[in-house]
Amino acid sequence: MRITLRLTLSLLVVVAAVAAFSAFFQLRQEREIQQEDLGRRSLLLAQSLQESVEPLLTKGPSQKLQRLVERFGNRERLAGVAVYDLKGTPLAVTASLASVLPGLPPIVAESMTAGVDVGGFVTVGGRDLHLHALPLRPDDKIAGALLIVHDAAFIQSHLSRIWRRTFLRVMIQMVLITFVTLLVVKWNIAGPLEQAAEWMKKLRLGETSEPLKLPKADFFAPIAKEVSTFAAHLAAAKSAAEQEARLRENAESLWTPERLKEHVRTRLKGKPLFIVSNREPYMDMHRGRAIETIIPAGGLVTALDPVLRSCGGTWVAHGAGDADFETADANGRIRVPPEDPCYTLRRVAITKEEEDGYYYGFSNEGFWPLCHIAHARPVFREEDWAQYQRVNQKFADAVVEEIAGVEEPCLLIQDYHFALLPSLLRARRPDARIAIFWHIPWPNPEAFGICPWQKELLSGMLGADLIGFHTQFHCNNFLDTVDRVLESRIDWERFSVIKGGHPTVVKPFPISVAFPNAFQDIAPIGKPVLDRAALLKELGTKAEFLGVGVERMDYTKGVLERLRAVERFLEKYPQYQGRFSFAQIGAPSRTHIKRYHDFLAEVDAEVERINWKFKARDWKPVVYLKKHHSHREILPFYMHADLCMVTSLHDGMNLVAKEFVAAREDNGGVLILSRFAGASRELRDALIINPYDIEQTADAIRYALEMDSEERSARMKRSRETIRENNIYRWAGNLITELSQIRREPRPAVPPAV
Ligand code: F6P
């Protein structure tokens, strides 16, 4: 039986049962009301007649008495009136009563014997009657009785009328309910299900890549979400299989998530991979009453999340979101990504004092400017150093907990926040295979020499088996620094350092993005991104050409220089005024540090100045979007911009450059790239500029806009090929190959650096 029919029948049965039940009670109540009413009326009538009858009773049957009862007997619904003496002999009876009630009803004797009114219903000859007998006392002594007889048939016909009306009402209700049910089922269930089935068919036939859109989002949202995710997985698996087949056909060796997964499984012999970083990949934040998960800005998360999504494992990081420990379990663990959990995030809690000293102080006011040549003076404070050591120790404890029970665990430590962690872990788990990857540049020995704790930091790092940088240049700087500062042996042939008998290999591993699925947090089948016209409308500028910059707002990124180059370009090539707009997306970062706070104010002022200088009605030279943007929000900018500007004054790699290239499936757009960003070593087809040279950058903007379309597409194709070959899966694969190949010889534990 079809579900609609079953639903309708069930509804009909329930409605009919409820209606019958309520009608039954209604009728019963109505019957009682009518009967009581009739009883009351009989009593009143009997009492009013009593006074006139009693004086005539002693005189026996008389015409006067007969006339009296006849007069009374004419009333509506009255079947008759009779007066009896003490023996029950009728003294006067209305003419109509004789045919209705032939004999003496027992109620008359009952009333005289009991000396009270007696009433009740009887059926005589198929007729419903109500009898009411009242004892008569002419001289305070019972001498007879008065009988009032009502025809009660009207009660039954009244009840039948009610029943007929109720029946009709129920029928109408049933028809309406059935009709409405069918409509509701059709609109809200059958319709969307048919739509979903149609969508699945189209998906299977490859005729759509749109997400499943169901009208009643609230009702169907969980199903639509699951089905879309499922479809996304299928699409990804299908595309991976096709890609594998293509690769086999072309005998290529492209790295894919599946290949990395298999590689890690073989290399680590099925053991999980561990990543440690300060910044966590998923941050839970209170937004009013709700909790929202955000993906923090920055290259580290962009690069490493796809690695763990592909091969699983555990990521240990600072739980910096204000709702992080509400969503995690009692040990700070939570499975992520939220929409498709495939690895564990272990959140480490640190106090405000620790965060101030370790993160804001030592890491970002000391180490950061120390490693970046961006003309900001490093600040080293004794108390920050103490917190840096304390937090490194805290993370060591958390990591030791996570790797308990795993033999020779493989650990990838990230960045300058954890220079001491390798040796702290080596001391506690000599069997661990430890790599530390440095996401920022490494300066020359003279520059590094200003750090008061350079020996401790270098010794801490050398607890690792492998140290990775983005470029050979940074590796060389590091080896030079170690050579200058520590007692150790440098093997320049193998690029390794031997300290205390422990070798550490130092190698470049240029980091990358998850090409071709760089935007995988937007499910492959996700909401369509904004088109160019809608994007410009949202920006509130009328422009023919669009440039974009995407940044975590940091003074090393050359944002001020970039804005000046845009200004110079508009000045030098006024034909572009009113036609070119530059959108700067900027996620505020490390704002508790004065240098960053001041930097934000400087950018505000510069944007304001330039926009004022070229003030026009519908056009803005610079649109500054100062807030954290999700990948979904950034993607349309990458896709529709004519050019993207990466003008870092000094940068380890810069993944915005690679993300922009990854987003340009149309082979459109031009990348203007600083020669001081690591990415410029690989992306040779970008327009490479010196961001300090404003004139050159302004000319690069013009060149990008006027570039012949063939050249533009050829450059972008080659850039995409570079990233396709050297994607994040290759980066992780190479790092893990290197780490797993390191020979393990029994050796004494290295004492911790601090
Ligand atoms: O680029 C250096 C780096 O530490 C990255 O590793 C990270 O993604 C980015 O800066 C973000 O910085 P923070 O974690 O301080 O917001």
Side-chain angles (χ1 to χ4, degrees), residues 614-649:
F614 296 101
K615 192 168 167 44
R617 224 162 67 89
D618 301 328
W619 168 74
K620 274 190 229 156
V622 180
V623 181
Y624 179 28
L625 304 164
K626 190 169 57 171
K627 78 169 185 69
H628 174 85
H629 284 68
S630 68
H631 256 158
R632 183 181 293 288
E633 291 166 321
I634 294 172
L635 186 57
F637 288 87
Y638 282 152
M639 283 172 65
H640 305 308
D642 295 288
L643 58 90
C644 174
M645 293 182 80
V646 173
T647 54
S648 313
L649 305 179

Side-chain angles (χ1 to χ4, degrees), residues 10 160 188 210 215 424 468 486 571 629 659 697:
S10 320
S160 300
N188 298 298
E210 296 274 296
L424 290 172
L486 291 182
E571 241 170 32
H629 284 68
E659 277 186 354
T697 313

Side-chain angles (χ1 to χ4, degrees), residues 279 297-300 359 364 368 415-417 439-440 552 590:
R279 186 58 68 200
L300 186 147
Y359 174 75
N364 288 318
W368 181 266
D415 239 349
Y416 57 101
H417 310 89
H439 289 255
I440 60 175
R552 185 179 55 74
R590 307 173 189 168

Side-chain angles (χ1 to χ4, degrees), residues 128-302:
D128 291 332
L129 299 174
H130 178 261
L131 310 183
H132 186 100
L134 175 134
L136 296 169
R137 297 182 179 84
D139 305 313
D140 288 341
K141 232 174 95 201
I142 295 176
L146 175 64
L147 177 69
I148 306 286
V149 180
H150 271 104
D151 186 351
F154 77 94
I155 295 183
Q156 194 48 48
S157 53
H158 177 66
L159 292 180
S160 300
R161 252 197 329 275
I162 292 183
W163 173 247
R164 268 198 307 281
R165 271 208 301 267
T166 306
F167 181 75
L168 199 67
R169 204 181 58 224
V170 169
M171 287 302 287
I172 292 171
Q173 270 175 0
M174 288 207 297
V175 170
L176 279 178
I177 287 173
T178 310
F179 182 67
V180 170
T181 307
L182 290 176
L183 280 186
V184 168
V185 168
K186 173 134 189 59
W187 285 339
N188 298 298
I189 301 175
L193 287 180
E194 271 164 27
Q195 212 180 317
E198 183 60 22
W199 175 82
M200 281 181 203
K201 189 173 162 198
K202 279 193 178 164
L203 192 76
R204 179 165 53 79
L205 299 175
E207 290 171 6
T208 187
S209 60
E210 296 274 296
L212 172 58
K213 282 184 228 128
L214 293 176
K216 295 286 159 201
D218 50 345
F219 189 58
F220 279 102
I223 295 178
K225 187 171 163 242
E226 281 309 314
V227 171
S228 293
T229 310
F230 186 60
H233 279 255
L234 281 182
K238 193 173 160 205
S239 109
E242 285 168 0
Q243 200 174 39
E244 288 290 336
R246 261 200 316 276
L247 292 177
R248 266 199 305 279
E249 184 72 14
N250 303 339
E252 280 185 67
S253 62
L254 195 69
W255 279 82
T256 61
E258 291 70 30
R259 179 169 171 194
L260 177 64
K261 185 177 181 182
E262 190 49 33
H263 181 79
V264 170
R265 204 180 58 76
T266 321
R267 289 286 173 168
L268 304 191
K269 301 188 179 73
K271 285 177 291 188
L273 179 65
F274 296 91
I275 287 182
V276 189
S277 74
N278 170 68
R279 186 58 68 200
E280 61 181 333
Y282 297 93
M283 216 169 170
D284 289 327
M285 307 287 291
H286 285 288
R287 293 278 184 265
R289 288 215 191 137
I291 291 180
E292 190 189 324
T293 302
I294 64 157
I295 300 177
L300 186 147
V301 168
T302 307

Side-chain angles (χ1 to χ4, degrees), residues 9 146 149 174 209 213 222 269 298 315 321 360 363 387 422 430-431 436 477 484 578 616 641 643 739 744:
L9 282 182
L146 175 64
V149 180
M174 288 207 297
S209 60
K213 282 184 228 128
K269 301 188 179 73
W315 185 328
Y360 288 109
S363 298
Q387 297 293 8
D431 66 323
I436 180 163
N477 275 352
R484 196 81 68 91
L643 58 90
L739 191 58
R744 307 314 310 268

Side-chain angles (χ1 to χ4, degrees), residues 46-118:
Q47 283 171 348
S48 65
L49 192 56
Q50 177 184 18
E51 275 177 29
S52 317
V53 170
E54 272 174 354
L56 302 175
L57 189 67
T58 45
K59 296 182 183 122
S62 67
Q63 279 194 351
K64 200 169 174 193
L65 189 59
Q66 185 60 34
R67 265 202 313 278
L68 189 66
V69 297
E70 287 293 355
R71 211 170 55 238
F72 256 86
N74 285 337
R75 308 205 170 185
E76 194 197 1
R77 291 188 189 137
L78 199 61
V81 177
V83 179
Y84 299 93
D85 67 10
L86 205 51
K87 289 189 197 124
T89 312
L91 300 180
V93 178
T94 51
S96 53
L97 191 60
S99 58
V100 176
L101 201 65
L104 175 70
I107 198 171
V108 175
E110 260 174 60
S111 144
M112 287 191 290
T113 316
V116 290
D117 286 34
V118 179

